[in-house]
Amino acid sequence: MEKSERENYRGAGKIAAKALRIGCEEADEGVKLIDVARSIENYIKEMDANIAFPVNISINEIAAHYTPGYNDERKFKSGDLVKLDVGAHIEGYIGDTARSFVTGVPKENEIELINCSQRALNGALKAIRAGITLNEIGGIVENICRAQGFVSVRNLSGHSLEKFNLHSGISVPNFANGDLTKIREGIAIAIEPFATDGKGMVTEKEYGNIYRYRYRQRGNNEHSQEDPLMEIIRSYRGLPFAERWLYDLEGKRVRAKMRRLVSKGILTGYRVLVEKKNGYVAQSEHTVLVNKHGCEVTTR
Ligand code: MN
Ligand code: MN
């Protein structure tokens, strides 16, 4: 990895970490989700970084892929197990980080679940170095979760990161999946254990107001350059974006328009991922740069 890339990863990581802290401080019982999302995203922009994906605010049995819609009135409630997942990038180099917490009064298991995902992340971070296999990292996460009476979510994983590519080639499993691929020195990866008191699997439900432009889809270059909507969408460079970011341009038509672009195959729409037995889910995530003897966490 070149020095300038490393510096961009570090800068983006630092900004994502601070944005996440801002969100965690603001989120509370009675506060609107959309206000927290805006505070986080505004901070990233104020720091002259870019938003790598819409803030995911996923609550209780929802594991991921929900961001407030343009007209979202939803508020945090007492006992909500909240996962905030934040991404910032500088010139395409991404910091991706997440944390879980409870708003109001915690319910049974919630704090233990959060501690479990945090311990699993710490265990993986301690072990990671060039040459370790994906299977070994997955096994560490799986065992730590099991030792605390929970299970890791098997069909969610960490991932390698590349310039303007949030999920590049490598998937970092949250269980020992037998993948003997070795992690190489100099790559950037996000480690993100999800712990649950449910089945340990998530399933797709309704759209979560997050979309992504399908660059490689045939025919996607046919839109006229003057179409302001497509121009904005292309400016995200294939990274995920939120419906509400386009509200100023499209007004209330925005949701219908996004769905139409999904049905035409121009956009991918993300669906919220819900635990199969409606178990509660906690997530902890850091982005790291792998080196010979360990790793450097960029999102602290
Ligand atoms: Mn994330
Ligand atoms: Mn991630």
Side-chain angles (χ1 to χ4, degrees):
M1 185 178 295
E2 281 179 33
K3 194 170 171 231
S4 61
E5 292 177 55
R6 196 184 317 262
E7 287 310 312
N8 284 334
Y9 273 121
R10 284 176 179 153
K14 207 167 189 168
I15 290 165
K18 178 73 202 277
L20 177 59
R21 280 198 292 278
I22 288 169
C24 291
E25 274 165 33
E26 184 175 336
D28 203 353
E29 184 183 348
V31 172
K32 277 188 189 175
L33 275 63
I34 198 167
D35 290 337
V36 172
R38 288 197 177 118
S39 296
I40 290 170
E41 292 171 359
N42 286 341
Y43 173 78
I44 293 170
K45 287 188 276 189
E46 278 162 23
M47 295 304 288
D48 286 327
N50 304 283
I51 304 165
F53 53 84
V55 184
N56 284 216
I57 307 182
S58 307
I59 297 176
N60 298 343
E61 69 276 13
I62 299 177
H65 295 172
Y66 181 80
T67 203
Y70 71 86
N71 56 351
D72 212 309
E73 292 293 320
R74 201 166 162 198
K75 293 173 178 170
F76 294 103
K77 297 198 284 282
S78 182
D80 276 349
L81 200 173
V82 181
K83 291 145 291 269
L84 283 187
D85 193 339
V86 173
H89 78 81
I90 297 175
E91 288 174 36
Y93 299 98
I94 300 166
D96 179 3
T97 183
R99 205 187 290 171
S100 303
F101 55 91
V102 178
T103 49
V105 183
K107 291 184 281 198
E108 201 192 337
N109 269 353
E110 287 184 325
I111 300 299
E112 289 83 355
L113 256 180
I114 291 167
N115 290 341
C116 177
S117 73
Q118 189 59 54
R119 283 190 193 124
L121 175 60
N122 290 341
L125 292 178
K126 230 177 260 172
I128 206 159
R129 61 187 151 70
I132 193 170
T133 66
L134 296 170
N135 182 67
E136 281 174 86
I137 297 171
I140 289 165
V141 168
E142 180 179 6
N143 289 335
I144 290 175
C145 291
R146 191 158 291 163
Q148 306 193 44
F150 300 114
V151 287
S152 54
V153 177
R154 297 160 71 92
N155 58 347
L156 287 174
S157 50
H159 46 95
S160 54
L161 299 146
E162 284 171 14
K163 192 175 188 183
F164 287 110
N165 194 348
L166 185 56
H167 289 237
S168 67
I170 297 170
S171 288
V172 185
N174 286 322
F175 68 107
N177 69 344
D179 188 339
L180 298 179
T181 306
K182 286 179 178 160
I183 290 187
R184 284 175 294 110
E185 184 178 354
I187 65 166
I189 50 175
I191 310 289
E192 48 182 313
F194 290 79
T196 181
D197 57 359
K199 189 173 163 59
M201 293 285 280
V202 291
T203 188
E204 290 190 333
K205 290 278 165 75
E206 67 277 7
Y207 286 113
N209 309 311
I210 303 172
Y211 300 90
R212 179 168 57 82
Y213 182 58
R214 299 177 69 179
Y215 260 106
R216 286 160 206 90
Q217 194 70 4
R218 220 177 3 175
N220 271 4
N221 298 320
E222 288 164 11
H223 312 284
S224 98
Q225 288 298 319
E226 284 91 73
D227 180 346
L229 176 64
M230 289 313 298
E231 207 172 302
I232 293 173
I233 286 174
R234 270 192 293 264
S235 76
Y236 302 131
R237 303 283 299 266
L239 291 170
F241 62 89
E243 162 203 279
R244 61 190 151 76
W245 297 352
L246 301 166
Y247 182 76
D248 285 347
L249 184 71
E250 295 292 333
K252 288 177 180 169
R253 297 169 303 180
V254 66
R255 189 163 299 167
K257 216 150 190 180
M258 294 300 107
R259 301 292 162 80
R260 194 151 58 237
L261 291 170
V262 169
S263 67
K264 283 182 175 169
I266 292 166
L267 301 181
T268 295
Y270 290 82
R271 292 172 177 276
V272 295
L273 299 172
V274 180
E275 217 289 325
K276 270 198 173 162
K277 273 169 63 186
N278 289 319
Y280 275 24
V281 182
Q283 173 202 20
S284 300
E285 179 176 25
H286 275 307
T287 298
V288 308
L289 305 177
V290 180
N291 58 47
K292 206 168 270 167
H293 304 292
C295 69
E296 172 185 341
V297 178
T298 63
T299 45
R300 266 214 259 266

